[in-house]
Amino acid sequence: MNKIEVMRTVGSKMDDFIVKYLTPVEEIWQPSDFLPDSSKDSFKEEIDELREFAYEMPYDLFVTLIGDCITEEALPTYESWIMGIEGINQQENCAWTKWTRAWTAEENRHGDLLGKYLYLCGRVDMREMEITTQHLIKDGFDIGTETDPYKNFVYTSFQETATNISHRRVGSLAKQSGNKKLAQMCGVIAADEARHAKAYKFFVSRIFEMDTSEMMNAFESMMKSKIVMPAHLMRESGQKVGELWQYFSDAAQRCRVYTAQDYIQIFKELITEWKIENLSGLTDSAERARDYLLKMPERLQRITDRMQIPEFSYPFKWIRT
């Protein structure tokens, strides 16, 4: 069975998957549910409270929140990339096209909510943030998957889980400081990401059942080249492509929102989720791939244990001084 046939077989149950992993438009939350209502007399009071909490957020945590928003706002890149995967055909309006559009519609609310929050909070130089977002969409990304659906679903399984962690942690830290509104916003976004991660992990599980060795090789290929985050090419005005990412990553690690240890933990969870140790009937190359995958977390741990994160905070143009 080739990859097109596998994709068609998995996609034959797409209506069930959409019901299980996505939420009807009329039932799911919308950004306006969590933002101050401009039609109410309490609008100014709510804005003042929102601004006060935003200015109290630690610098690195606030940087991470902005970067998370920019990542979400680059959604057009992600949809166009998924639509180009082998086995997804827009012209035929296949099952996978239906999934991609519905997934995109849910994801679109994330950047919409965070972007409006950041605009209202008064602490963000919105023009600089918007320049970074436009650059990120214009520059695109290279995640090493090409058009291979197997590699792409390994990537989305990992990345959606990582995004869930990042939003959830920002929300948790915001809640500790009393910022319940932002905590709610990050919490509902994180919940969406968790559902989406479950979907992509399930798709990979189904592929493992039908094309075990090729799926194993794809998993190894992605982890060997390393999973890069969607915003790895981000830049500010006047910068070169990708020049900003390391500074943003350092900020996220310093405030413990997303760390190298999280990367290792997600990897381990995928190995368990897909029952890598117990799979049988592998080709020789797939057996070697499995051995590599099972040993890799320990290698990564040794590297992580030696890592040192810079203590200084880069002066991001996004934040008003």
mmCIF file of all heavy atoms in Angstrom, residues 63-72 74 78 128-129 131-141 229-237 239-251 314 316 318:
data_model
loop_
_atom_site.group_PDB
_atom_site.id
_atom_site.type_symbol
_atom_site.label_atom_id
_atom_site.label_comp_id
_atom_site.label_asym_id
_atom_site.label_seq_id
_atom_site.Cartn_x
_atom_site.Cartn_y
_atom_site.Cartn_z
ATOM 1 N N VAL A 63 7.425 38.482 26.587
ATOM 2 C CA VAL A 63 8.030 38.206 25.280
ATOM 3 C C VAL A 63 7.490 36.892 24.721
ATOM 4 O O VAL A 63 7.141 36.798 23.541
ATOM 5 C CB VAL A 63 9.568 38.140 25.397
ATOM 6 C CG1 VAL A 63 10.181 37.450 24.174
ATOM 7 C CG2 VAL A 63 10.157 39.528 25.539
ATOM 8 N N THR A 64 7.413 35.884 25.578
ATOM 9 C CA THR A 64 6.935 34.577 25.139
ATOM 10 C C THR A 64 5.479 34.645 24.698
ATOM 11 O O THR A 64 5.088 34.022 23.697
ATOM 12 C CB THR A 64 7.098 33.549 26.264
ATOM 13 O OG1 THR A 64 8.460 33.529 26.693
ATOM 14 C CG2 THR A 64 6.708 32.159 25.795
ATOM 15 N N LEU A 65 4.671 35.395 25.420
ATOM 16 C CA LEU A 65 3.273 35.581 25.035
ATOM 17 C C LEU A 65 3.175 36.223 23.650
ATOM 18 O O LEU A 65 2.397 35.769 22.794
ATOM 19 C CB LEU A 65 2.557 36.456 26.066
ATOM 20 C CG LEU A 65 1.119 36.872 25.741
ATOM 21 C CD1 LEU A 65 0.205 35.652 25.657
ATOM 22 C CD2 LEU A 65 0.601 37.859 26.785
ATOM 23 N N ILE A 66 3.972 37.245 23.403
ATOM 24 C CA ILE A 66 3.946 37.916 22.097
ATOM 25 C C ILE A 66 4.400 36.956 20.997
ATOM 26 O O ILE A 66 3.791 36.866 19.930
ATOM 27 C CB ILE A 66 4.835 39.175 22.105
ATOM 28 C CG1 ILE A 66 4.306 40.201 23.104
ATOM 29 C CG2 ILE A 66 4.892 39.791 20.702
ATOM 30 C CD1 ILE A 66 5.228 41.389 23.303
ATOM 31 N N GLY A 67 5.485 36.235 21.270
ATOM 32 C CA GLY A 67 5.975 35.281 20.279
ATOM 33 C C GLY A 67 4.972 34.186 19.979
ATOM 34 O O GLY A 67 4.831 33.759 18.821
ATOM 35 N N ASP A 68 4.257 33.740 20.998
ATOM 36 C CA ASP A 68 3.201 32.741 20.787
ATOM 37 C C ASP A 68 2.108 33.300 19.889
ATOM 38 O O ASP A 68 1.571 32.598 19.021
ATOM 39 C CB ASP A 68 2.602 32.321 22.130
ATOM 40 C CG ASP A 68 3.487 31.350 22.898
ATOM 41 O OD1 ASP A 68 4.496 30.879 22.329
ATOM 42 O OD2 ASP A 68 3.182 31.065 24.069
ATOM 43 N N CYS A 69 1.772 34.565 20.106
ATOM 44 C CA CYS A 69 0.753 35.200 19.273
ATOM 45 C C CYS A 69 1.216 35.302 17.821
ATOM 46 O O CYS A 69 0.464 34.973 16.890
ATOM 47 C CB CYS A 69 0.426 36.596 19.817
ATOM 48 S SG CYS A 69 -0.786 37.508 18.821
ATOM 49 N N ILE A 70 2.460 35.730 17.619
ATOM 50 C CA ILE A 70 2.996 35.846 16.257
ATOM 51 C C ILE A 70 2.994 34.490 15.566
ATOM 52 O O ILE A 70 2.655 34.374 14.381
ATOM 53 C CB ILE A 70 4.419 36.446 16.299
ATOM 54 C CG1 ILE A 70 4.354 37.909 16.746
ATOM 55 C CG2 ILE A 70 5.103 36.329 14.939
ATOM 56 C CD1 ILE A 70 5.703 38.516 17.081
ATOM 57 N N THR A 71 3.354 33.464 16.315
ATOM 58 C CA THR A 71 3.333 32.105 15.763
ATOM 59 C C THR A 71 1.936 31.730 15.302
ATOM 60 O O THR A 71 1.751 31.158 14.215
ATOM 61 C CB THR A 71 3.819 31.095 16.822
ATOM 62 O OG1 THR A 71 5.145 31.431 17.236
ATOM 63 C CG2 THR A 71 3.807 29.679 16.272
ATOM 64 N N GLU A 72 0.941 32.048 16.110
ATOM 65 C CA GLU A 72 -0.447 31.741 15.746
ATOM 66 C C GLU A 72 -0.911 32.573 14.552
ATOM 67 O O GLU A 72 -1.665 32.086 13.700
ATOM 68 C CB GLU A 72 -1.370 31.998 16.945
ATOM 69 C CG GLU A 72 -1.114 31.123 18.163
ATOM 70 C CD GLU A 72 -1.591 29.691 17.989
ATOM 71 O OE1 GLU A 72 -2.168 29.374 16.932
ATOM 72 O OE2 GLU A 72 -1.377 28.888 18.912
ATOM 73 N N ALA A 74 0.707 33.466 12.041
ATOM 74 C CA ALA A 74 1.290 33.015 10.765
ATOM 75 C C ALA A 74 0.527 31.830 10.188
ATOM 76 O O ALA A 74 1.060 31.074 9.366
ATOM 77 C CB ALA A 74 2.763 32.660 10.966
ATOM 78 N N TYR A 78 0.813 27.791 7.484
ATOM 79 C CA TYR A 78 0.578 26.419 7.890
ATOM 80 C C TYR A 78 -0.502 25.761 7.034
ATOM 81 O O TYR A 78 -0.384 24.590 6.655
ATOM 82 C CB TYR A 78 0.201 26.352 9.377
ATOM 83 C CG TYR A 78 1.042 27.237 10.260
ATOM 84 C CD1 TYR A 78 0.506 27.889 11.367
ATOM 85 C CD2 TYR A 78 2.396 27.459 9.970
ATOM 86 C CE1 TYR A 78 1.275 28.717 12.174
ATOM 87 C CE2 TYR A 78 3.181 28.285 10.775
ATOM 88 C CZ TYR A 78 2.604 28.922 11.866
ATOM 89 O OH TYR A 78 3.366 29.744 12.641
ATOM 90 N N GLU A 128 5.725 47.027 15.273
ATOM 91 C CA GLU A 128 6.877 46.127 15.236
ATOM 92 C C GLU A 128 6.424 44.661 15.277
ATOM 93 O O GLU A 128 6.983 43.810 14.587
ATOM 94 C CB GLU A 128 7.822 46.415 16.394
ATOM 95 C CG GLU A 128 8.668 47.652 16.215
ATOM 96 C CD GLU A 128 9.670 47.525 15.071
ATOM 97 O OE1 GLU A 128 9.981 46.384 14.664
ATOM 98 O OE2 GLU A 128 10.145 48.565 14.577
ATOM 99 N N MET A 129 5.431 44.388 16.094
ATOM 100 C CA MET A 129 4.902 43.023 16.151
ATOM 101 C C MET A 129 4.290 42.625 14.806
ATOM 102 O O MET A 129 4.496 41.494 14.321
ATOM 103 C CB MET A 129 3.849 42.932 17.253
ATOM 104 C CG MET A 129 3.173 41.570 17.349
ATOM 105 S SD MET A 129 1.929 41.548 18.658
ATOM 106 C CE MET A 129 0.837 40.259 18.025
ATOM 107 N N ILE A 131 5.093 43.781 11.879
ATOM 108 C CA ILE A 131 6.180 43.596 10.914
ATOM 109 C C ILE A 131 6.760 42.200 11.041
ATOM 110 O O ILE A 131 7.008 41.517 10.036
ATOM 111 C CB ILE A 131 7.273 44.671 11.123
ATOM 112 C CG1 ILE A 131 6.786 46.025 10.617
ATOM 113 C CG2 ILE A 131 8.577 44.276 10.416
ATOM 114 C CD1 ILE A 131 7.721 47.178 10.927
ATOM 115 N N THR A 132 6.972 41.754 12.277
ATOM 116 C CA THR A 132 7.483 40.394 12.490
ATOM 117 C C THR A 132 6.520 39.360 11.933
ATOM 118 O O THR A 132 6.933 38.397 11.280
ATOM 119 C CB THR A 132 7.715 40.135 13.992
ATOM 120 O OG1 THR A 132 8.706 41.042 14.491
ATOM 121 C CG2 THR A 132 8.200 38.708 14.228
ATOM 122 N N THR A 133 5.232 39.563 12.170
ATOM 123 C CA THR A 133 4.227 38.623 11.661
ATOM 124 C C THR A 133 4.231 38.582 10.145
ATOM 125 O O THR A 133 4.206 37.500 9.539
ATOM 126 C CB THR A 133 2.823 39.014 12.159
ATOM 127 O OG1 THR A 133 2.814 39.019 13.593
ATOM 128 C CG2 THR A 133 1.774 38.033 11.660
ATOM 129 N N GLN A 134 4.285 39.751 9.517
ATOM 130 C CA GLN A 134 4.273 39.782 8.051
ATOM 131 C C GLN A 134 5.526 39.127 7.486
ATOM 132 O O GLN A 134 5.453 38.367 6.503
ATOM 133 C CB GLN A 134 4.150 41.222 7.540
ATOM 134 C CG GLN A 134 4.005 41.280 6.015
ATOM 135 C CD GLN A 134 3.669 42.665 5.500
ATOM 136 O OE1 GLN A 134 3.366 43.565 6.274
ATOM 137 N NE2 GLN A 134 3.724 42.826 4.202
ATOM 138 N N HIS A 135 6.666 39.411 8.092
ATOM 139 C CA HIS A 135 7.898 38.752 7.665
ATOM 140 C C HIS A 135 7.764 37.236 7.763
ATOM 141 O O HIS A 135 8.159 36.500 6.859
ATOM 142 C CB HIS A 135 9.079 39.201 8.532
ATOM 143 C CG HIS A 135 9.782 40.428 8.037
ATOM 144 N ND1 HIS A 135 10.211 40.563 6.735
ATOM 145 C CD2 HIS A 135 10.159 41.565 8.690
ATOM 146 C CE1 HIS A 135 10.812 41.739 6.587
ATOM 147 N NE2 HIS A 135 10.792 42.361 7.756
ATOM 148 N N LEU A 136 7.207 36.766 8.881
ATOM 149 C CA LEU A 136 7.115 35.328 9.122
ATOM 150 C C LEU A 136 6.247 34.644 8.078
ATOM 151 O O LEU A 136 6.578 33.550 7.591
ATOM 152 C CB LEU A 136 6.563 35.070 10.531
ATOM 153 C CG LEU A 136 6.592 33.622 11.026
ATOM 154 C CD1 LEU A 136 7.996 33.049 10.990
ATOM 155 C CD2 LEU A 136 6.020 33.533 12.443
ATOM 156 N N ILE A 137 5.149 35.286 7.698
ATOM 157 C CA ILE A 137 4.287 34.719 6.656
ATOM 158 C C ILE A 137 4.987 34.786 5.302
ATOM 159 O O ILE A 137 4.955 33.829 4.521
ATOM 160 C CB ILE A 137 2.940 35.461 6.614
ATOM 161 C CG1 ILE A 137 2.180 35.252 7.932
ATOM 162 C CG2 ILE A 137 2.093 34.971 5.439
ATOM 163 C CD1 ILE A 137 0.925 36.098 8.060
ATOM 164 N N LYS A 138 5.642 35.905 5.043
ATOM 165 C CA LYS A 138 6.316 36.087 3.755
ATOM 166 C C LYS A 138 7.494 35.131 3.583
ATOM 167 O O LYS A 138 7.714 34.577 2.509
ATOM 168 C CB LYS A 138 6.808 37.531 3.639
ATOM 169 C CG LYS A 138 7.592 37.846 2.366
ATOM 170 C CD LYS A 138 7.984 39.306 2.301
ATOM 171 C CE LYS A 138 8.991 39.668 3.374
ATOM 172 N NZ LYS A 138 10.317 39.027 3.162
ATOM 173 N N ASP A 139 8.250 34.935 4.672
ATOM 174 C CA ASP A 139 9.442 34.093 4.605
ATOM 175 C C ASP A 139 9.122 32.600 4.607
ATOM 176 O O ASP A 139 9.930 31.776 4.176
ATOM 177 C CB ASP A 139 10.379 34.396 5.780
ATOM 178 C CG ASP A 139 10.943 35.808 5.739
ATOM 179 O OD1 ASP A 139 11.062 36.355 4.621
ATOM 180 O OD2 ASP A 139 11.257 36.367 6.810
ATOM 181 N N GLY A 140 7.934 32.245 5.119
ATOM 182 C CA GLY A 140 7.548 30.846 5.172
ATOM 183 C C GLY A 140 8.385 30.077 6.178
ATOM 184 O O GLY A 140 8.915 30.640 7.125
ATOM 185 N N PHE A 141 8.503 28.775 5.968
ATOM 186 C CA PHE A 141 9.366 27.983 6.839
ATOM 187 C C PHE A 141 9.815 26.718 6.118
ATOM 188 O O PHE A 141 9.269 26.333 5.090
ATOM 189 C CB PHE A 141 8.703 27.662 8.171
ATOM 190 C CG PHE A 141 7.448 26.840 8.152
ATOM 191 C CD1 PHE A 141 6.968 26.236 6.998
ATOM 192 C CD2 PHE A 141 6.734 26.641 9.315
ATOM 193 C CE1 PHE A 141 5.822 25.461 6.998
ATOM 194 C CE2 PHE A 141 5.576 25.866 9.335
ATOM 195 C CZ PHE A 141 5.122 25.282 8.179
ATOM 196 N N MET A 229 10.424 24.700 15.498
ATOM 197 C CA MET A 229 9.132 25.326 15.736
ATOM 198 C C MET A 229 8.697 26.171 14.533
ATOM 199 O O MET A 229 9.547 26.632 13.756
ATOM 200 C CB MET A 229 9.183 26.173 17.003
ATOM 201 C CG MET A 229 9.288 25.362 18.291
ATOM 202 S SD MET A 229 7.866 24.244 18.571
ATOM 203 C CE MET A 229 8.567 22.651 18.117
ATOM 204 N N PRO A 230 7.401 26.394 14.367
ATOM 205 C CA PRO A 230 6.903 27.100 13.174
ATOM 206 C C PRO A 230 7.480 28.491 12.981
ATOM 207 O O PRO A 230 7.593 28.967 11.853
ATOM 208 C CB PRO A 230 5.388 27.172 13.424
ATOM 209 C CG PRO A 230 5.098 26.077 14.370
ATOM 210 C CD PRO A 230 6.300 25.952 15.244
ATOM 211 N N ALA A 231 7.862 29.137 14.086
ATOM 212 C CA ALA A 231 8.357 30.521 13.982
ATOM 213 C C ALA A 231 9.879 30.607 13.978
ATOM 214 O O ALA A 231 10.450 31.647 14.279
ATOM 215 C CB ALA A 231 7.799 31.355 15.133
ATOM 216 N N HIS A 232 10.554 29.518 13.592
ATOM 217 C CA HIS A 232 12.013 29.512 13.688
ATOM 218 C C HIS A 232 12.688 30.510 12.750
ATOM 219 O O HIS A 232 13.873 30.812 12.917
ATOM 220 C CB HIS A 232 12.561 28.098 13.455
ATOM 221 C CG HIS A 232 12.431 27.598 12.045
ATOM 222 N ND1 HIS A 232 11.231 27.212 11.496
ATOM 223 C CD2 HIS A 232 13.365 27.409 11.085
ATOM 224 C CE1 HIS A 232 11.431 26.812 10.250
ATOM 225 N NE2 HIS A 232 12.708 26.928 9.973
ATOM 226 N N LEU A 233 11.950 31.040 11.788
ATOM 227 C CA LEU A 233 12.531 32.044 10.880
ATOM 228 C C LEU A 233 12.104 33.469 11.248
ATOM 229 O O LEU A 233 12.287 34.390 10.454
ATOM 230 C CB LEU A 233 12.128 31.738 9.434
ATOM 231 C CG LEU A 233 12.656 30.410 8.866
ATOM 232 C CD1 LEU A 233 12.226 30.250 7.415
ATOM 233 C CD2 LEU A 233 14.172 30.312 8.972
ATOM 234 N N MET A 234 11.555 33.678 12.441
ATOM 235 C CA MET A 234 11.058 35.005 12.805
ATOM 236 C C MET A 234 12.181 36.046 12.844
ATOM 237 O O MET A 234 13.347 35.735 13.119
ATOM 238 C CB MET A 234 10.310 34.992 14.142
ATOM 239 C CG MET A 234 11.153 34.685 15.352
ATOM 240 S SD MET A 234 10.369 35.163 16.937
ATOM 241 C CE MET A 234 8.799 34.337 16.877
ATOM 242 N N ARG A 235 11.828 37.269 12.563
ATOM 243 C CA ARG A 235 12.773 38.390 12.604
ATOM 244 C C ARG A 235 12.025 39.685 12.876
ATOM 245 O O ARG A 235 10.824 39.796 12.610
ATOM 246 C CB ARG A 235 13.535 38.499 11.300
ATOM 247 C CG ARG A 235 12.665 38.574 10.048
ATOM 248 C CD ARG A 235 13.512 38.901 8.846
ATOM 249 N NE ARG A 235 12.900 38.534 7.580
ATOM 250 C CZ ARG A 235 13.248 39.071 6.416
ATOM 251 N NH1 ARG A 235 14.176 40.013 6.374
ATOM 252 N NH2 ARG A 235 12.680 38.675 5.300
ATOM 253 N N GLU A 236 12.754 40.655 13.370
ATOM 254 C CA GLU A 236 12.202 41.992 13.575
ATOM 255 C C GLU A 236 12.561 42.866 12.376
ATOM 256 O O GLU A 236 13.271 42.425 11.457
ATOM 257 C CB GLU A 236 12.769 42.605 14.862
ATOM 258 C CG GLU A 236 12.278 41.936 16.128
ATOM 259 C CD GLU A 236 12.846 42.590 17.386
ATOM 260 O OE1 GLU A 236 14.037 42.936 17.385
ATOM 261 O OE2 GLU A 236 12.102 42.728 18.357
ATOM 262 N N SER A 237 12.088 44.095 12.376
ATOM 263 C CA SER A 237 12.424 45.026 11.297
ATOM 264 C C SER A 237 13.934 45.225 11.240
ATOM 265 O O SER A 237 14.605 45.362 12.267
ATOM 266 C CB SER A 237 11.734 46.378 11.524
ATOM 267 O OG SER A 237 12.117 46.926 12.772
ATOM 268 N N GLN A 239 16.177 43.035 10.410
ATOM 269 C CA GLN A 239 16.950 41.826 10.665
ATOM 270 C C GLN A 239 16.919 40.867 9.480
ATOM 271 O O GLN A 239 16.092 40.986 8.581
ATOM 272 C CB GLN A 239 16.407 41.094 11.900
ATOM 273 C CG GLN A 239 16.691 41.779 13.216
ATOM 274 C CD GLN A 239 16.205 40.955 14.399
ATOM 275 O OE1 GLN A 239 15.231 40.207 14.299
ATOM 276 N NE2 GLN A 239 16.878 41.088 15.525
ATOM 277 N N LYS A 240 17.832 39.900 9.522
ATOM 278 C CA LYS A 240 17.856 38.834 8.536
ATOM 279 C C LYS A 240 16.916 37.715 8.976
ATOM 280 O O LYS A 240 16.559 37.618 10.149
ATOM 281 C CB LYS A 240 19.283 38.290 8.383
ATOM 282 C CG LYS A 240 20.279 39.308 7.848
ATOM 283 C CD LYS A 240 21.678 38.704 7.768
ATOM 284 C CE LYS A 240 22.681 39.731 7.260
ATOM 285 N NZ LYS A 240 24.060 39.172 7.228
ATOM 286 N N VAL A 241 16.552 36.864 8.030
ATOM 287 C CA VAL A 241 15.644 35.754 8.316
ATOM 288 C C VAL A 241 16.218 34.869 9.425
ATOM 289 O O VAL A 241 17.379 34.461 9.375
ATOM 290 C CB VAL A 241 15.406 34.898 7.050
ATOM 291 C CG1 VAL A 241 14.560 33.674 7.381
ATOM 292 C CG2 VAL A 241 14.729 35.726 5.971
ATOM 293 N N GLY A 242 15.400 34.596 10.434
ATOM 294 C CA GLY A 242 15.786 33.694 11.509
ATOM 295 C C GLY A 242 16.670 34.288 12.581
ATOM 296 O O GLY A 242 17.040 33.601 13.537
ATOM 297 N N GLU A 243 16.990 35.559 12.469
ATOM 298 C CA GLU A 243 17.936 36.176 13.397
ATOM 299 C C GLU A 243 17.384 36.307 14.810
ATOM 300 O O GLU A 243 18.135 36.394 15.776
ATOM 301 C CB GLU A 243 18.325 37.564 12.864
ATOM 302 C CG GLU A 243 19.552 38.165 13.518
ATOM 303 C CD GLU A 243 20.047 39.409 12.790
ATOM 304 O OE1 GLU A 243 19.794 39.527 11.573
ATOM 305 O OE2 GLU A 243 20.688 40.251 13.447
ATOM 306 N N LEU A 244 16.062 36.294 14.962
ATOM 307 C CA LEU A 244 15.447 36.561 16.259
ATOM 308 C C LEU A 244 15.141 35.295 17.063
ATOM 309 O O LEU A 244 14.971 35.364 18.284
ATOM 310 C CB LEU A 244 14.147 37.352 16.045
ATOM 311 C CG LEU A 244 13.492 38.001 17.260
ATOM 312 C CD1 LEU A 244 14.403 39.051 17.881
ATOM 313 C CD2 LEU A 244 12.152 38.620 16.877
ATOM 314 N N TRP A 245 15.088 34.155 16.404
ATOM 315 C CA TRP A 245 14.555 32.958 17.046
ATOM 316 C C TRP A 245 15.295 32.563 18.319
ATOM 317 O O TRP A 245 14.673 32.244 19.331
ATOM 318 C CB TRP A 245 14.540 31.773 16.078
ATOM 319 C CG TRP A 245 14.153 30.514 16.782
ATOM 320 C CD1 TRP A 245 14.964 29.475 17.138
ATOM 321 C CD2 TRP A 245 12.852 30.187 17.297
ATOM 322 N NE1 TRP A 245 14.252 28.507 17.818
ATOM 323 C CE2 TRP A 245 12.956 28.929 17.927
ATOM 324 C CE3 TRP A 245 11.610 30.834 17.267
ATOM 325 C CZ2 TRP A 245 11.861 28.300 18.523
ATOM 326 C CZ3 TRP A 245 10.525 30.211 17.868
ATOM 327 C CH2 TRP A 245 10.662 28.962 18.482
ATOM 328 N N GLN A 246 16.627 32.580 18.282
ATOM 329 C CA GLN A 246 17.381 32.124 19.448
ATOM 330 C C GLN A 246 17.093 32.982 20.670
ATOM 331 O O GLN A 246 16.987 32.482 21.793
ATOM 332 C CB GLN A 246 18.878 32.107 19.159
ATOM 333 C CG GLN A 246 19.697 31.414 20.249
ATOM 334 C CD GLN A 246 19.284 29.964 20.450
ATOM 335 O OE1 GLN A 246 19.286 29.164 19.524
ATOM 336 N NE2 GLN A 246 18.906 29.616 21.675
ATOM 337 N N TYR A 247 16.939 34.294 20.457
ATOM 338 C CA TYR A 247 16.628 35.189 21.580
ATOM 339 C C TYR A 247 15.255 34.856 22.165
ATOM 340 O O TYR A 247 15.065 34.869 23.389
ATOM 341 C CB TYR A 247 16.657 36.650 21.130
ATOM 342 C CG TYR A 247 17.999 37.111 20.633
ATOM 343 C CD1 TYR A 247 18.164 37.611 19.335
ATOM 344 C CD2 TYR A 247 19.125 37.080 21.456
ATOM 345 C CE1 TYR A 247 19.391 38.050 18.878
ATOM 346 C CE2 TYR A 247 20.359 37.516 21.006
ATOM 347 C CZ TYR A 247 20.486 37.992 19.712
ATOM 348 O OH TYR A 247 21.714 38.421 19.272
ATOM 349 N N PHE A 248 14.302 34.581 21.278
ATOM 350 C CA PHE A 248 12.961 34.216 21.748
ATOM 351 C C PHE A 248 12.989 32.880 22.484
ATOM 352 O O PHE A 248 12.384 32.734 23.557
ATOM 353 C CB PHE A 248 11.992 34.148 20.570
ATOM 354 C CG PHE A 248 10.639 33.601 20.937
ATOM 355 C CD1 PHE A 248 9.767 34.343 21.709
ATOM 356 C CD2 PHE A 248 10.244 32.336 20.528
ATOM 357 C CE1 PHE A 248 8.517 33.841 22.073
ATOM 358 C CE2 PHE A 248 9.008 31.824 20.872
ATOM 359 C CZ PHE A 248 8.147 32.576 21.653
ATOM 360 N N SER A 249 13.687 31.904 21.934
ATOM 361 C CA SER A 249 13.800 30.603 22.572
ATOM 362 C C SER A 249 14.442 30.708 23.946
ATOM 363 O O SER A 249 13.998 30.058 24.909
ATOM 364 C CB SER A 249 14.627 29.657 21.680
ATOM 365 O OG SER A 249 14.773 28.392 22.280
ATOM 366 N N ASP A 250 15.471 31.544 24.064
ATOM 367 C CA ASP A 250 16.128 31.744 25.361
ATOM 368 C C ASP A 250 15.157 32.333 26.382
ATOM 369 O O ASP A 250 15.146 31.932 27.559
ATOM 370 C CB ASP A 250 17.338 32.667 25.211
ATOM 371 C CG ASP A 250 18.494 32.010 24.461
ATOM 372 O OD1 ASP A 250 18.492 30.778 24.321
ATOM 373 O OD2 ASP A 250 19.389 32.750 24.007
ATOM 374 N N ALA A 251 14.341 33.291 25.940
ATOM 375 C CA ALA A 251 13.362 33.914 26.847
ATOM 376 C C ALA A 251 12.357 32.869 27.340
ATOM 377 O O ALA A 251 12.017 32.827 28.525
ATOM 378 C CB ALA A 251 12.635 35.058 26.142
ATOM 379 N N TYR A 314 17.264 39.923 25.652
ATOM 380 C CA TYR A 314 17.395 40.693 24.416
ATOM 381 C C TYR A 314 16.319 41.786 24.388
ATOM 382 O O TYR A 314 15.171 41.543 24.759
ATOM 383 C CB TYR A 314 17.222 39.760 23.224
ATOM 384 C CG TYR A 314 17.165 40.429 21.881
ATOM 385 C CD1 TYR A 314 18.321 40.777 21.199
ATOM 386 C CD2 TYR A 314 15.936 40.716 21.287
ATOM 387 C CE1 TYR A 314 18.268 41.386 19.957
ATOM 388 C CE2 TYR A 314 15.867 41.332 20.048
ATOM 389 C CZ TYR A 314 17.038 41.664 19.381
ATOM 390 O OH TYR A 314 16.975 42.277 18.150
ATOM 391 N N PHE A 316 13.720 43.251 22.803
ATOM 392 C CA PHE A 316 12.793 43.080 21.681
ATOM 393 C C PHE A 316 12.104 44.397 21.333
ATOM 394 O O PHE A 316 11.646 45.125 22.215
ATOM 395 C CB PHE A 316 11.723 42.037 22.035
ATOM 396 C CG PHE A 316 12.230 40.625 22.061
ATOM 397 C CD1 PHE A 316 12.893 40.129 23.173
ATOM 398 C CD2 PHE A 316 12.050 39.787 20.969
ATOM 399 C CE1 PHE A 316 13.357 38.830 23.211
ATOM 400 C CE2 PHE A 316 12.517 38.480 20.998
ATOM 401 C CZ PHE A 316 13.180 37.994 22.117
ATOM 402 N N TRP A 318 9.312 44.617 20.043
ATOM 403 C CA TRP A 318 7.865 44.459 20.240
ATOM 404 C C TRP A 318 7.359 45.157 21.496
ATOM 405 O O TRP A 318 6.182 45.520 21.571
ATOM 406 C CB TRP A 318 7.502 42.988 20.398
ATOM 407 C CG TRP A 318 7.997 42.059 19.362
ATOM 408 C CD1 TRP A 318 8.266 42.332 18.055
ATOM 409 C CD2 TRP A 318 8.300 40.663 19.542
ATOM 410 N NE1 TRP A 318 8.698 41.194 17.410
ATOM 411 C CE2 TRP A 318 8.720 40.161 18.310
ATOM 412 C CE3 TRP A 318 8.222 39.801 20.632
ATOM 413 C CZ2 TRP A 318 9.092 38.826 18.126
ATOM 414 C CZ3 TRP A 318 8.584 38.470 20.461
ATOM 415 C CH2 TRP A 318 9.020 37.998 19.220
#
